Amino acid sequence: MASEIGVQTIQHTNGTDAMTIDSSGRVQMPQIPCCFVQLTTSNSQDTSNPYENEGYVIKFDKIVTNQGSCYSASTGNFTCPVAGVYEASTTIMTFNSGTENNQIHILKNSSTVASGYNSVDNQHVPMTASVILDCAANDTISVQHANGKIYIDANGFYSMFTVKLLG
């Protein structure tokens, strides 16, 4: 026996739309916590190119998307507003003027949960890390520059960080 529910919008009792379904069946969920941020030469930590501020959480300064206002450019942290499973990923363009060892970490509550590494001679090479995390409300997710040099540009096209709630 099949059942049908015909709705266009699902709301919280306070009237906030949680989900809409258009006439073609496309689903939109406008309240999913997520961010897409980039590192530019205007960042507050190290405006030189290459960026060499090792051992610190990277404060990505160009906020492209910050749904739910979960990412803070002043701390570099994405703070999980609700418990759930989150996906975090980062791509960093390394700056290699010689033989360079480069390493980044994705942190959950200041502890390493994923890392990216490369060692290349005289080339700019992307370095990536990604992870799916089970988080509690108020857990933080960030990226730490552990070692090496990062190539940055005014637009932030080469180094970025994304986080989103999966469910």
Side-chain angles (χ1 to χ4, degrees), residues 6-163:
V7 298
Q8 290 178 325
T9 304
I10 297 174
Q11 294 182 337
H12 185 272
T13 56
N14 70 4
T16 303
D17 287 356
M19 181 184 296
T20 59
I21 304 168
D22 72 11
S23 61
S24 297
R26 291 179 293 250
V27 176
Q28 184 179 30
M29 295 181 288
Q31 304 304 323
I32 294 177
C34 62
C35 75
F36 173 69
V37 294
Q38 299 169 302
L39 184 64
T40 75
T41 52
S42 298
N43 76 83
S44 64
Q45 289 175 301
D46 186 346
T47 59
S48 62
N49 194 7
Y51 174 106
E52 299 184 62
N53 197 16
E54 296 177 347
Y56 296 95
V57 167
I58 298 172
K59 296 177 182 176
F60 294 87
D61 60 301
K62 182 179 178 183
I63 298 174
V64 178
T65 301
N66 192 13
Q67 194 161 281
S69 300
C70 302
Y71 178 78
S72 168
S74 64
T75 65
N77 289 326
F78 178 94
T79 302
C80 303
V82 295
V85 175
Y86 289 79
E87 179 181 22
S89 64
T90 187
T91 299
I92 302 292
M93 180 66 75
T94 60
F95 187 106
N96 302 314
S97 57
T99 301
E100 302 286 343
N101 294 317
N102 301 288
Q103 189 170 23
I104 53 170
H105 301 301
I106 295 179
L107 308 176
K108 175 185 170 187
N109 299 328
S110 302
S111 295
T112 300
V113 292
S115 294
Y117 175 84
N118 72 27
S119 180
V120 181
D121 294 343
N122 299 312
Q123 297 177 37
H124 298 332
V125 179
M127 176 174 46
T128 63
S130 61
V131 65
I132 293 177
L133 299 166
D134 190 9
C135 295
N138 296 314
D139 280 353
T140 60
I141 303 170
S142 55
V143 176
Q144 180 186 51
H145 180 219
N147 192 51
K149 299 174 185 172
I150 298 173
Y151 175 79
I152 54 177
D153 70 311
N155 296 310
F157 292 151
Y158 300 104
S159 296
M160 60 210 64
F161 175 45
T162 62
V163 181

